[in-house]
Amino acid sequence: MADKTLSFMRSLCMGNIVEEIIFPFPKIQESEKELLKTTFDSIGGWLQSKETEFKKWDKAGELPKEFLEEMKQMGMFSFVIPEEFGGLGLTSSGYSRTIQELCKYDGSVAITAGAHSSIGMRGLLLFGTDSQKQKYLSKLASGEMIAAFCLTESTAGSDAAGIKTKATRDGDSWILNGEKLWITNGGIADFFTVFAKTEGLEGQMTAFIVTRDLPGVSAGPHEDKMGLRASCTTTVNFDNVRLTQEHVLGEVGKGFKVAMKILNVGRTGLGGGSIGAMKKSIHLASQHAKSRQQFGKNISEFGLIQQKLGHMVVECYVSEAVVSMVAGLSDRGCEDYAVEAAISKVFATECLWRTIDEALQVAGGGGYMSEYPYERIMRDCRINRIFEGTNDILRLFIALTAMNDVGAQLKEVAHSIGNVLQDPIKGFGVLSEYARKRVSYATGFGKATLSQSHPTVKEQAEVFEDCTKQLASFVDKMLRKYGKNIVGHQFATRRLADVMIDLFALASVLSRVTAAIEEKGVEATKREREILQVFAGQVSRRVRSNFNKIDDNDDQQITSLALDAVEYEGYRWDTI
Ligand SMILES: Cc1cc2nc3c(=O)[nH]c(=O)nc-3n(C[C@H](O)[C@H](O)[C@H](O)COP(=O)(O)OP(=O)(O)OC[C@H]3O[C@@H](n4cnc5c(N)ncnc54)[C@H](O)[C@@H]3O)c2cc1C
């Protein structure tokens, strides 16, 4: 059993493969599987019957009140709430699988239920006091209260620490003022997790539970959006709202930590949703390819169609491995999986974007018509790469966490080397583990190994080991090249993030395929091994290419062109 405080990816960047964290591949428990099957049977039939309505509501830009009532009755707000409060008490794995199921029917419905459970009320589960839980959880489970997460403001999106909403002390109370922007469920929620700057603690943020019945709470009109149109997105306003200590969620001044933890734990919801939409896209595209005839043949017989479908399957399987792995880490009580959770969000949302793009291409002109579901899935899923942390910001977080860890170790290395010079015997004793690895990597002898993957996938396990070795050189080389200024070098940081994303995905799929072979045998897993072969090949090529680009790139020219476009406010070279 691995140390629960260890992160797989942070350890990997230090040159350690902590296999116990990712083997065996996490499984949904049998009892929970039964519960999920019953739940999916009941919601599946109901949602299937609404297919034409979903299309209508997407156009209208709203879910009708009666349907929201049905959602409550069907238990769509109860997924992650413990049974003692009337909820289903799903694990992260079970919850992620449930959002996946909803996304097969409609994105707006999935986000309405998902924003409630993933982020709206998650803070209460994670940080609420007993009395706060007693007061709200049953109402949140029944849907009597729908929840929303209120962080973003007009001047504070990615830079969440820059919010201006303020809670000012007034005796024992707090007075809350401010406006939150683009809040999912804003117009239908009664329970808001709100982040505000608190006075006295300069620049610090505190999380509050705010309910709609409090004087001064109001919501703006529905925003007209590109996708997820029927989900309710509004501003939420707080005008001199009086709060007490009972409304404080977590510790005063620790709101930023609360926000980040909620987003982190909630990521498997968005990941699950992306997989659901990928499965639906693959179903639609393969069905179309099988029946559509051109040039006297089914289009499925053409290589270019096969190439698309094959890649869609690979991306879906690997995404499912990554998201399930992260849900498993959460369920096992791992304490540090923020980097892995961020990776799962970036990976799954981008795979979905490519998958629906290719599915639409397979459908040809029909894919562009609202008569068919492709264009709606595409509009609905575009936001996934933006909300709950843009994929750009998450890439920076992924890579800079690694650089920070290694940088700290390097300081120790420098210190140890100083000691070695002053007192060779004592000095070698303190030469850090990381320094030892660096030396062995540099001399070509050392290699972290993966021993728990199945022998039949040895070749792909070796790809992972080789790439891990390259990762260590990558981090080292970047730190030597940029030092403390790495934060200002985002092109390079992105490359490191992409290598880390690929390696976690490869580790997850190695673990998944190993579990499949152990369960079903080598013969029965031919296709899964093919997926692994394809993906390992892609990872190997991408890692090598990213590594080469540390020194051989066009970053300077691209920067210069971008800055010029910004100065000119557009493209310079019109032909007339
Ligand atoms: C449909 C919808 C639902 C939403 N639901 C909610 C909700 O329920 N609750 C909530 O609080 N918010 C919600 N949001 C807001 C969402 O989380 C933000 O839009 C998101 O965090 C990005 O912020 P922004 O739009 O201000 O973009 P900005 O932060 O202005 O970013 C613009 C671009 O600049 C990039 N960028 C920013 N900083 C950097 C940097 N340092 N380095 C490199 N690139 C950078 C970004 O990646 C992005 O590409 C929702 C938004 C939408 C559209």
Side-chain angles (χ1 to χ4, degrees):
M1 193 67 185
D3 178 350
K4 288 197 169 144
T5 61
L6 283 182
S7 145
F8 180 77
M9 284 313 295
R10 291 176 72 173
S11 305
L12 196 74
C13 290
M14 310 290 277
N16 301 320
I17 302 178
V18 190
E19 293 185 76
E20 297 74 33
I21 303 179
I22 56 156
F23 286 94
F25 189 70
K27 265 185 166 167
I28 298 181
Q29 296 299 313
E30 284 308 316
S31 56
E32 191 171 36
K33 264 191 194 165
E34 287 308 312
L35 172 66
L36 292 178
K37 275 186 201 152
T38 327
T39 310
F40 297 170
D41 279 349
S42 75
I43 58 179
W46 163 63
L47 291 174
Q48 188 77 54
S49 70
K50 306 274 180 199
E51 215 177 293
T52 30
E53 266 98 335
F54 291 144
K55 222 156 129 185
K56 258 192 339 219
W57 299 339
D58 174 66
K59 280 218 167 71
E62 200 170 1
L63 290 174
K65 279 202 177 70
E66 303 73 49
F67 179 74
L68 280 170
E69 285 308 314
E70 280 183 58
M71 282 183 73
K72 294 175 189 177
Q73 278 152 26
M74 296 301 286
M76 305 271 278
F77 297 100
S78 71
F79 299 142
V80 295
I81 296 174
E83 286 173 67
E84 56 186 297
F85 296 101
L88 276 188
L90 296 178
T91 59
S92 288
S93 307
Y95 172 63
S96 176
R97 183 62 189 80
T98 303
I99 297 295
Q100 183 186 136
E101 198 66 16
L102 298 186
C103 272
K104 289 185 190 165
Y105 300 97
D106 184 66
S108 289
V109 173
I111 197 74
T112 303
H116 169 90
S117 296
S118 292
I119 53 177
M121 44 133 298
R122 183 71 70 161
L124 176 64
L125 279 184
L126 293 169
F127 297 97
T129 60
D130 284 346
S131 87
Q132 287 171 333
K133 287 181 183 170
Q134 287 295 341
K135 190 165 177 186
Y136 299 114
L137 278 178
S138 307
K139 291 180 180 170
L140 287 161
S142 66
E144 184 184 335
M145 286 184 130
I146 293 177
F149 175 85
C150 302
L151 179 61
T152 304
E153 298 178 7
S154 61
T155 55
S158 300
D159 183 10
I163 57 168
K164 298 218 164 64
T165 294
K166 240 186 183 174
T168 320
R169 270 280 186 207
D170 181 29
D172 287 343
S173 308
W174 300 87
I175 307 294
L176 181 70
N177 277 292
E179 182 177 74
K180 298 292 180 176
L181 187 68
W182 301 331
I183 303 306
T184 305
N185 291 347
I188 56 171
D190 302 282
F191 177 101
F192 303 92
T193 300
V194 182
F195 298 88
K197 283 278 169 70
T198 30
E199 273 192 344
L201 293 155
E202 194 54 48
Q204 292 192 6
M205 199 193 271
T206 300
F208 293 93
I209 294 170
V210 180
T211 49
R212 186 179 289 275
D213 56 345
L214 293 174
V217 178
S218 62
H222 281 218
E223 300 285 352
D224 191 6
K225 310 189 289 288
M226 170 184 180
L228 299 177
R229 288 180 48 78
S231 79
C232 176
T233 312
T234 68
T235 53
V236 179
N237 306 281
F238 307 103
D239 183 13
N240 284 321
V241 180
R242 185 169 288 274
L243 304 171
T244 65
Q245 188 57 34
E246 261 297 289
H247 295 96
V248 174
L249 185 61
E251 282 178 60
V252 172
K254 297 281 167 61
F256 192 75
K257 220 174 106 189
V258 172
M260 292 308 118
K261 176 103 194 201
I262 292 173
L263 290 170
N264 190 30
V265 176
R267 290 208 202 288
T268 51
L270 197 48
S274 300
I275 294 159
M278 270 188 256
K279 287 183 179 173
K280 180 165 181 176
S281 308
I282 295 171
H283 167 64
L284 290 167
S286 48
Q287 210 173 39
H288 181 77
K290 203 172 175 180
S291 58
R292 173 72 174 167
Q293 290 226 330
Q294 287 292 282
F295 302 99
K297 282 180 173 179
N298 287 338
I299 60 167
S300 59
E301 292 177 50
F302 298 126
L304 293 182
I305 297 289
Q306 292 160 2
Q307 192 180 32
K308 293 183 210 322
L309 289 170
H311 281 295
M312 285 155 70
V313 169
V314 171
E315 303 238 55
C316 186
Y317 186 89
V318 180
S319 294
E320 196 168 39
V322 173
V323 172
S324 304
M325 180 63 79
V326 171
L329 297 178
S330 165
D331 290 335
R332 279 199 347 243
C334 291
E335 291 163 25
D336 186 359
Y337 62 95
V339 169
E340 292 78 0
I343 289 176
S344 73
K345 193 265 188 181
V346 174
F347 191 82
T349 58
E350 293 181 3
C351 285
L352 168 57
W353 182 247
R354 286 188 292 269
T355 296
I356 182 59
D357 183 45
E358 291 292 50
L360 194 148
Q361 190 73 13
V362 170
Y368 201 69
M369 299 296 152
S370 348
E371 189 186 343
Y372 302 103
Y374 304 91
E375 62 87 30
R376 179 149 60 92
I377 300 175
M378 188 166 217
R379 285 190 285 107
D380 284 350
C381 80
R382 183 59 185 87
I383 188 60
N384 290 359
R385 290 161 52 205
I386 298 173
F387 63 13
E388 296 190 21
T390 70
N391 287 11
D392 318 82
I393 294 293
L394 291 178
R395 277 193 165 84
L396 297 179
F397 165 73
I398 291 162
L400 292 177
T401 305
M403 301 291 275
N404 209 24
D405 288 349
V406 176
Q409 281 277 341
L410 284 179
K411 267 192 211 146
E412 196 199 321
V413 173
H415 178 72
S416 303
I417 287 170
N419 282 338
V420 171
L421 297 177
Q422 280 160 24
D423 181 349
I425 294 173
K426 206 166 137 212
F428 271 119
V430 297
L431 195 60
S432 76
E433 180 63 20
Y434 182 72
R436 255 190 286 269
K437 283 224 168 69
R438 278 185 90 198
V439 172
S440 62
Y441 280 154
T443 49
F445 291 116
K447 183 162 141 179
T449 53
L450 194 64
S451 64
Q452 295 194 34
S453 56
H454 196 271
T456 44
V457 296
K458 187 164 175 281
E459 213 177 295
Q460 289 76 42
E462 280 172 3
V463 169
F464 180 78
E465 292 167 357
D466 288 341
C467 290
T468 299
K469 194 168 161 179
Q470 287 187 58
L471 173 69
S473 320
F474 202 118
V475 178
D476 254 27
K477 201 165 172 183
M478 278 182 54
L479 276 170
R480 263 185 276 121
K481 188 162 177 171
Y482 303 112
K484 272 194 297 201
N485 300 324
I486 183 64
V487 174
H489 292 272
Q490 294 194 342
F491 289 55
T493 312
R494 184 199 165 129
R495 285 182 198 117
L496 173 59
D498 285 344
V499 168
M500 290 174 66
I501 291 168
D502 265 340
L503 284 190
F504 184 60
L506 182 54
S508 302
V509 81
L510 271 162
S511 173
R512 184 177 183 185
V513 173
T514 294
I517 298 171
E518 282 164 1
E519 193 186 321
K520 300 182 261 184
V522 174
E523 273 312 302
T525 50
K526 176 174 174 284
R527 301 239 184 279
E528 282 156 287
R529 286 182 291 110
E530 280 170 356
I531 290 174
L532 177 58
Q533 279 163 12
V534 171
F535 189 66
Q538 291 173 352
V539 169
S540 168
R541 290 186 288 275
R542 282 197 293 257
V543 168
R544 208 173 320 126
S545 155
N546 275 314
F547 191 70
N548 291 340
K549 283 183 191 152
I550 299 179
D551 292 321
D552 182 10
N553 58 56
D554 47 19
D555 297 356
Q556 256 180 4
Q557 294 87 324
I558 292 289
T559 306
S560 139
L561 291 168
L563 293 177
D564 181 62
V566 170
E567 193 190 336
Y568 187 71
E569 296 186 14
Y571 176 79
R572 268 184 197 281
W573 300 278
D574 201 344
T575 50
I576 52 165

